[in-house]
Amino acid sequence: LDRLTGYHNEIKRLLSNELITAKKSKKKKEEEITEIKEYYIKELHPKLINNTFLMMFAYLEEMLCIILKGFAKIDETSSKTGLEKYNESFKKHYDIKLSQFPGWNFLSDSSDIRNALLHANGNISHLRKPEKTKKIIKKYKNDIKLKRNVIFINETYLNSFLTKIDEVRNWILEKV
């Protein structure tokens, strides 16, 4: 996770440096610099946050899988998907209900946001159940925004997600 956070911050720094370089350039007009800045703010930075979130979610799933494989195995015959399959496997092998983790609702909501970002490129109009996702967006209205029906999360949500990953890992390892 530290490397993912470092990657996110490094890309953000590099993009900011490009803007600074453009400002220092005598060939760039103020209009061009404003255009670059707006593109960074409106397009690149939000996509960077979403992509970092997706990488962090992949880390979460891999971490859960590794913990299970270290002690048992995932039930491949389960009809559950996403985080629910891990919840089922932990319950079956350790009598641990991940759903009792205090941050489970946040992780579950994050799973829905992840699915929308990954499978519908964040466009909720392409989802089978957009109402469920809209409720989640309203729940986190300060941290998740819809722009032209596309989901964008902010760094506050990203940091909260990072914290929940650490917390769930520690919570599980205390119990196994």
Side-chain angles (χ1 to χ4, degrees), residues 86-98:
Y86 296 105
N87 190 27
E88 189 174 83
S89 292
F90 273 96
K91 184 179 178 193
K92 179 179 178 180
H93 295 289
Y94 303 110
D95 200 30
I96 296 173
K97 295 179 183 175
L98 293 181

Side-chain angles (χ1 to χ4, degrees), residues 46-176:
K47 288 178 182 172
L48 174 62
I49 293 171
N50 283 358
N51 288 332
T52 302
F53 170 77
L54 289 172
M55 288 187 286
M56 286 180 173
F57 202 95
Y59 172 88
L60 170 64
E61 289 188 315
E62 185 68 16
M63 177 195 69
L64 293 172
C65 186
I66 287 170
I67 291 172
L68 273 171
K69 285 184 177 178
F71 302 102
K73 66 179 193 175
I74 297 170
D75 184 3
E76 301 294 336
T77 62
S78 174
S79 62
K80 304 283 185 182
T81 60
L83 293 181
E84 284 301 323
K85 77 178 166 199
Y86 296 105
N87 190 27
E88 189 174 83
S89 292
F90 273 96
K91 184 179 178 193
K92 179 179 178 180
H93 295 289
Y94 303 110
D95 200 30
I96 296 173
K97 295 179 183 175
L98 293 181
S99 58
Q100 290 180 339
F101 166 65
W104 181 255
N105 288 338
F106 182 87
L107 291 177
S108 183
D109 291 342
S110 295
S111 181
D112 192 82
I113 297 301
R114 173 252 184 219
N115 290 340
L117 289 171
L118 191 63
H119 300 297
N121 203 24
N123 190 327
I124 62 166
S125 62
H126 296 167
L127 298 174
R128 284 186 226 149
K129 298 178 182 176
E131 293 309 314
K132 179 183 177 193
T133 306
K134 284 180 184 178
K135 283 181 186 177
I136 292 169
I137 292 167
K138 283 181 185 175
K139 187 175 179 181
Y140 302 100
K141 65 182 177 213
N142 293 328
D143 300 326
I144 304 174
K145 302 289 182 198
L146 269 182
K147 296 176 187 170
R148 298 177 308 275
N149 271 342
V150 177
I151 296 170
F152 290 97
I153 61 174
N154 67 20
E155 287 188 349
T156 303
Y157 191 89
L158 191 66
N159 288 328
S160 296
F161 185 63
L162 176 65
T163 300
K164 293 298 179 218
I165 292 172
D166 284 337
E167 289 174 359
V168 76
R169 180 191 59 236
N170 294 337
W171 186 84
I172 292 168
L173 292 176
E174 285 175 6
K175 297 184 178 302
V176 287

Side-chain angles (χ1 to χ4, degrees), residues 9-34:
N9 291 333
E10 180 64 10
I11 296 296
K12 191 173 158 183
R13 184 190 67 76
L14 290 170
L15 291 171
S16 295
N17 285 350
E18 287 298 314
L19 184 59
I20 291 167
T21 302
K23 284 181 179 178
K24 290 180 179 178
S25 171
K26 293 178 182 182
K27 295 179 183 177
K28 299 278 185 196
K29 296 177 185 171
E30 190 61 37
E31 184 180 293
E32 288 176 293
I33 294 169
T34 301

